[in-house]
Amino acid sequence: MAVRHLEVGVRQEPGGAVLDLRGEINSFAQEALDAAYAEAEALNPDTILLNFVEGDYINSTGIALIVGLLARARAAKRTLVAYGLSDHYVEIFNITRLSDFVSVFPDEESALSGAA
């Protein structure tokens, strides 16, 4: 199976800025994540949403990168939420207690309304 390097789109929605994650979140993802997060921050949202619907794979380095985004969000008094995670990754967020700091929603609609 070929590695699908991370691509991140950024869009503004009424409830916050959305990072549409496509591909693998691993050590190769840092540059794309950092650039997209900076683009989202420039929109000055109260909430940044991580859309994992097209995210293929997250390894331990990928989890660490998400923790880094969480630290940036908290430092700027922003809320970071996630949606579209597979059941497996919801469990990983729970086991690592990342879900204590990043609210996890099943879809964009609930994430936007939950973030409001």
Side-chain angles (χ1 to χ4, degrees):
M1 181 177 197
V3 172
R4 201 166 72 136
H5 290 290
L6 186 70
E7 296 175 5
V8 186
V10 177
R11 59 190 163 88
Q12 178 80 45
E13 292 294 332
V18 179
L19 275 62
D20 293 310
L21 309 170
R22 291 178 298 280
E24 296 186 12
I25 304 170
N26 55 30
S27 60
F28 300 110
Q30 183 165 4
E31 188 176 318
L33 270 178
D34 286 346
Y37 191 89
E39 184 180 337
E41 275 187 319
L43 300 171
N44 200 28
D46 290 332
T47 302
I48 295 180
L49 299 92
L50 302 177
N51 172 5
F52 288 95
V53 169
E54 292 186 49
D56 296 337
Y57 174 77
I58 309 169
N59 66 12
S60 58
T61 302
I63 294 291
L65 293 174
I66 294 165
V67 170
L69 297 182
L70 173 62
R72 288 172 68 177
R74 290 175 64 115
K77 307 261 190 282
R78 287 191 171 87
T79 302
L80 189 68
V81 302
Y83 69 91
L85 287 161
S86 69
D87 290 341
H88 172 73
Y89 289 116
V90 169
E91 186 175 342
I92 297 295
F93 270 50
N94 289 333
I95 290 168
T96 61
R97 300 198 55 192
L98 191 51
S99 59
D100 290 354
F101 304 98
V102 177
S103 296
V104 176
F105 296 92
D107 55 42
E108 184 170 311
E109 183 180 344
S110 61
L112 288 168
S113 64

